Amino acid sequence: MAQKKIIGTISLAGCFGCHMSLLDLDLKILELIDLVEFNRSPLTDFKKITQHCDIGIIEGGCCNDENVHTLIEFRKNCDILISVGECAIMGGLPALRNQFSLKDCLEEAYLKVPTTVQGNALIPHHEDLPKILHKIYPCHHVVKIDYFLPGCPPSSDALWQSLTNIMSGKSDTLSYQNLKYD
Ligand code: SF4
Protein backbone atom coordinates (compact mmCIF):
# COMPACT_ATOMS: atom_id res chain seq x y z
CA MET A 1 0.00 0.00 0.00
CA ALA A 2 1.36 3.45 -0.96
CA GLN A 3 2.55 5.62 1.87
CA LYS A 4 -0.11 8.05 3.05
CA LYS A 5 0.30 11.69 2.15
CA ILE A 6 0.45 14.08 5.07
CA ILE A 7 -2.02 16.96 4.83
CA GLY A 8 -2.22 20.08 6.97
CA THR A 9 -5.06 22.61 6.88
CA ILE A 10 -5.31 26.08 8.38
CA SER A 11 -8.10 28.60 8.72
CA LEU A 12 -7.00 32.25 8.63
CA ALA A 13 -9.54 35.04 8.03
CA GLY A 14 -12.27 32.68 6.87
CA CYS A 15 -15.60 31.41 8.17
CA PHE A 16 -14.78 27.66 8.31
CA GLY A 17 -17.17 27.10 5.40
CA CYS A 18 -14.31 25.72 3.28
CA HIS A 19 -13.47 23.25 6.05
CA MET A 20 -17.15 22.32 6.26
CA SER A 21 -17.03 21.57 2.54
CA LEU A 22 -14.16 19.17 3.20
CA LEU A 23 -16.28 17.43 5.84
CA ASP A 24 -19.11 17.36 3.32
CA LEU A 25 -17.22 14.60 1.49
CA ASP A 26 -19.45 12.31 3.53
CA LEU A 27 -18.52 8.67 2.87
CA LYS A 28 -15.63 9.68 0.60
CA ILE A 29 -13.91 10.86 3.78
CA LEU A 30 -13.38 7.16 4.57
CA GLU A 31 -11.58 6.79 1.22
CA LEU A 32 -9.63 9.96 1.95
CA ILE A 33 -8.31 8.73 5.28
CA ASP A 34 -7.03 5.63 3.49
CA LEU A 35 -4.96 7.97 1.30
CA VAL A 36 -3.92 10.71 3.72
CA GLU A 37 -3.13 11.48 7.30
CA PHE A 38 -4.15 14.87 8.69
CA ASN A 39 -1.60 16.77 10.74
CA ARG A 40 -2.20 20.37 11.87
CA SER A 41 -5.86 21.09 11.14
CA PRO A 42 -9.09 22.23 12.78
CA LEU A 43 -10.20 18.68 11.91
CA THR A 44 -7.59 17.15 14.24
CA ASP A 45 -7.37 20.15 16.59
CA PHE A 46 -3.54 20.01 16.31
CA LYS A 47 -2.54 23.64 16.92
CA LYS A 48 0.97 23.20 15.47
CA ILE A 49 2.49 21.18 12.66
CA THR A 50 4.29 18.18 14.12
CA GLN A 51 5.49 16.69 10.82
CA HIS A 52 6.44 18.09 7.39
CA CYS A 53 3.33 18.01 5.16
CA ASP A 54 3.03 16.99 1.53
CA ILE A 55 0.02 19.26 0.99
CA GLY A 56 -1.21 22.30 2.90
CA ILE A 57 -4.76 23.58 2.45
CA ILE A 58 -5.44 27.20 3.35
CA GLU A 59 -8.81 28.73 4.07
CA GLY A 60 -9.05 32.51 4.52
CA GLY A 61 -6.80 35.46 3.77
CA CYS A 62 -4.57 37.43 6.14
CA CYS A 63 -6.25 40.03 8.35
CA ASN A 64 -3.74 40.21 11.21
CA ASP A 65 -0.08 39.59 12.03
CA GLU A 66 -0.85 36.18 13.50
CA ASN A 67 -2.37 35.07 10.15
CA VAL A 68 0.81 36.21 8.36
CA HIS A 69 3.06 34.37 10.80
CA THR A 70 0.92 31.20 10.58
CA LEU A 71 0.97 31.30 6.78
CA ILE A 72 4.75 31.80 6.54
CA GLU A 73 5.33 28.87 8.93
CA PHE A 74 2.86 26.76 6.94
CA ARG A 75 4.75 27.52 3.70
CA LYS A 76 8.01 26.39 5.31
CA ASN A 77 6.40 23.12 6.38
CA CYS A 78 4.39 22.13 3.30
CA ASP A 79 5.65 20.97 -0.12
CA ILE A 80 2.49 22.09 -1.93
CA LEU A 81 0.14 24.86 -0.83
CA ILE A 82 -3.44 25.22 -2.08
CA SER A 83 -5.44 28.40 -1.57
CA VAL A 84 -8.98 27.14 -1.14
CA GLY A 85 -11.94 29.48 -1.51
CA GLU A 86 -12.38 33.14 -2.34
CA CYS A 87 -11.12 34.42 1.02
CA ALA A 88 -7.72 32.74 0.56
CA ILE A 89 -7.56 33.62 -3.15
CA MET A 90 -8.69 37.23 -3.11
CA GLY A 91 -9.57 38.19 0.46
CA GLY A 92 -13.25 37.37 0.04
CA LEU A 93 -15.91 39.08 2.13
CA PRO A 94 -13.47 40.33 4.80
CA ALA A 95 -11.67 42.29 2.06
CA LEU A 96 -14.72 44.54 1.69
CA ARG A 97 -13.12 46.56 4.46
CA ASN A 98 -10.13 47.34 2.20
CA GLN A 99 -12.01 50.34 0.80
CA PHE A 100 -12.07 51.96 4.25
CA SER A 101 -9.31 52.95 6.63
CA LEU A 102 -8.62 50.61 9.56
CA LYS A 103 -9.37 53.51 11.93
CA ASP A 104 -12.84 53.98 10.39
CA CYS A 105 -13.56 50.23 10.56
CA LEU A 106 -12.58 49.97 14.22
CA GLU A 107 -14.55 53.08 15.16
CA GLU A 108 -17.61 51.81 13.30
CA ALA A 109 -17.36 48.36 14.90
CA TYR A 110 -16.62 49.38 18.49
CA LEU A 111 -17.53 53.03 19.05
CA LYS A 112 -20.45 53.89 16.77
CA VAL A 113 -22.34 50.60 16.74
CA PRO A 114 -25.89 51.06 18.16
CA THR A 115 -25.35 48.44 20.88
CA THR A 116 -22.34 50.26 22.34
CA VAL A 117 -23.11 51.75 25.75
CA GLN A 118 -22.11 55.36 25.34
CA GLY A 119 -19.41 56.38 27.79
CA ASN A 120 -18.05 52.80 28.01
CA ALA A 121 -16.94 52.49 24.39
CA LEU A 122 -13.38 51.44 23.68
CA ILE A 123 -11.44 49.72 20.91
CA PRO A 124 -9.99 46.47 22.33
CA HIS A 125 -6.23 46.55 22.62
CA HIS A 126 -3.78 44.34 24.46
CA GLU A 127 -0.26 43.23 23.66
CA ASP A 128 -1.46 39.60 23.51
CA LEU A 129 -4.09 40.34 20.86
CA PRO A 130 -3.07 39.89 17.20
CA LYS A 131 -2.36 43.21 15.47
CA ILE A 132 -4.95 43.92 12.80
CA LEU A 133 -3.46 44.73 9.38
CA HIS A 134 -4.52 47.83 7.47
CA LYS A 135 -5.83 45.62 4.68
CA ILE A 136 -6.85 42.01 4.13
CA TYR A 137 -4.23 40.26 1.98
CA PRO A 138 -4.83 37.22 -0.24
CA CYS A 139 -2.43 34.42 0.63
CA HIS A 140 -0.39 34.65 -2.59
CA HIS A 141 0.54 38.23 -1.63
CA VAL A 142 2.33 36.79 1.40
CA VAL A 143 3.80 33.44 0.27
CA LYS A 144 4.08 31.40 -2.92
CA ILE A 145 0.91 29.42 -3.57
CA ASP A 146 0.97 26.42 -5.87
CA TYR A 147 -2.72 25.90 -6.64
CA PHE A 148 -5.92 27.96 -6.39
CA LEU A 149 -9.30 26.33 -5.90
CA PRO A 150 -12.11 28.90 -6.33
CA GLY A 151 -15.58 28.85 -4.83
CA CYS A 152 -17.28 30.06 -1.69
CA PRO A 153 -16.84 27.40 -0.65
CA PRO A 154 -15.51 25.08 -3.36
CA SER A 155 -17.78 22.03 -3.47
CA SER A 156 -16.65 18.88 -1.73
CA ASP A 157 -16.50 17.23 -5.17
CA ALA A 158 -14.10 19.96 -6.36
CA LEU A 159 -11.96 19.47 -3.25
CA TRP A 160 -11.94 15.71 -3.77
CA GLN A 161 -11.05 16.00 -7.46
CA SER A 162 -8.27 18.51 -6.75
CA LEU A 163 -6.73 16.56 -3.91
CA THR A 164 -6.79 13.24 -5.72
CA ASN A 165 -5.42 14.86 -8.91
CA ILE A 166 -2.56 16.49 -7.03
CA MET A 167 -1.77 13.35 -5.04
CA SER A 168 -1.65 11.22 -8.17
CA GLY A 169 0.51 13.76 -10.00
CA LYS A 170 -2.16 14.61 -12.59
CA SER A 171 -2.73 18.20 -13.66
CA ASP A 172 -5.10 20.05 -11.38
CA THR A 173 -7.71 20.51 -14.10
CA LEU A 174 -11.24 20.45 -12.73
CA SER A 175 -14.24 19.27 -14.67
CA TYR A 176 -16.76 21.90 -15.78
CA GLN A 177 -19.32 20.43 -13.37
CA ASN A 178 -17.00 21.23 -10.46
CA LEU A 179 -16.42 24.82 -11.49
CA LYS A 180 -19.86 26.10 -12.48
CA TYR A 181 -22.02 27.84 -9.92
CA ASP A 182 -25.37 28.30 -11.71
S1 SF4 B 1 -14.41 31.26 0.77
FE1 SF4 B 1 -16.54 31.39 1.52
S2 SF4 B 1 -16.85 29.47 2.64
FE2 SF4 B 1 -14.60 29.75 2.39
S3 SF4 B 1 -13.93 30.79 4.25
FE3 SF4 B 1 -14.39 32.39 2.73
S4 SF4 B 1 -16.55 32.98 3.12
FE4 SF4 B 1 -16.19 31.02 4.14
Side-chain angles (χ1 to χ4, degrees):
M1 189 173 168
Q3 200 175 5
K4 287 186 178 185
K5 299 283 185 194
I6 309 291
I7 292 189
T9 81
I10 52 172
S11 182
L12 305 174
C15 75
F16 281 95
C18 290
H19 275 87
M20 293 309 292
S21 198
L22 193 57
L23 286 179
D24 216 19
L25 284 170
D26 293 332
L27 287 178
K28 278 210 192 88
I29 210 145
L30 297 177
E31 284 180 57
L32 188 62
I33 57 176
D34 276 341
L35 301 173
V36 309
E37 184 181 320
F38 283 97
N39 195 264
R40 176 188 174 146
S41 171
L43 306 178
T44 57
D45 209 22
F46 286 12
K47 309 290 189 216
K48 293 195 182 304
I49 286 194
T50 60
Q51 194 174 357
H52 192 84
C53 292
D54 298 293
I55 300 173
I57 293 174
I58 310 155
E59 166 190 292
C62 292
C63 76
N64 60 40
D65 63 347
E66 185 179 88
N67 293 156
V68 172
H69 175 75
T70 300
L71 182 55
I72 290 172
E73 284 303 301
F74 206 47
R75 174 72 276 180
K76 283 185 199 158
N77 286 288
C78 296
D79 290 339
I80 293 171
L81 279 191
I82 316 173
S83 269
V84 169
E86 301 307 325
C87 296
I89 294 172
M90 53 177 254
L93 275 181
L96 286 177
R97 81 161 165 89
N98 286 359
Q99 60 193 305
F100 304 104
S101 72
L102 177 58
K103 179 173 174 290
D104 284 351
C105 292
L106 292 172
E107 286 182 1
E108 189 66 33
Y110 293 106
L111 306 184
K112 298 178 184 168
V113 67
T115 50
T116 295
V117 178
Q118 293 307 317
N120 283 341
L122 69 95
I123 295 172
H125 60 91
H126 189 278
E127 60 184 358
D128 290 343
L129 289 175
K131 305 283 176 296
I132 298 179
L133 304 176
H134 284 269
K135 286 189 186 305
I136 304 281
Y137 292 93
C139 296
H140 64 282
H141 284 205
V142 179
V143 297
K144 175 179 176 285
I145 299 291
D146 302 289
Y147 294 101
F148 298 83
L149 182 57
C152 181
S155 68
S156 57
D157 284 343
L159 276 160
W160 170 260
Q161 198 180 354
S162 288
L163 280 174
T164 50
N165 279 353
I166 291 169
M167 284 191 292
S168 60
K170 291 186 198 154
S171 84
D172 188 36
T173 306
L174 289 181
S175 61
Y176 172 72
Q177 286 303 324
N178 278 333
L179 277 177
K180 74 178 183 72
Y181 299 102
D182 54 0

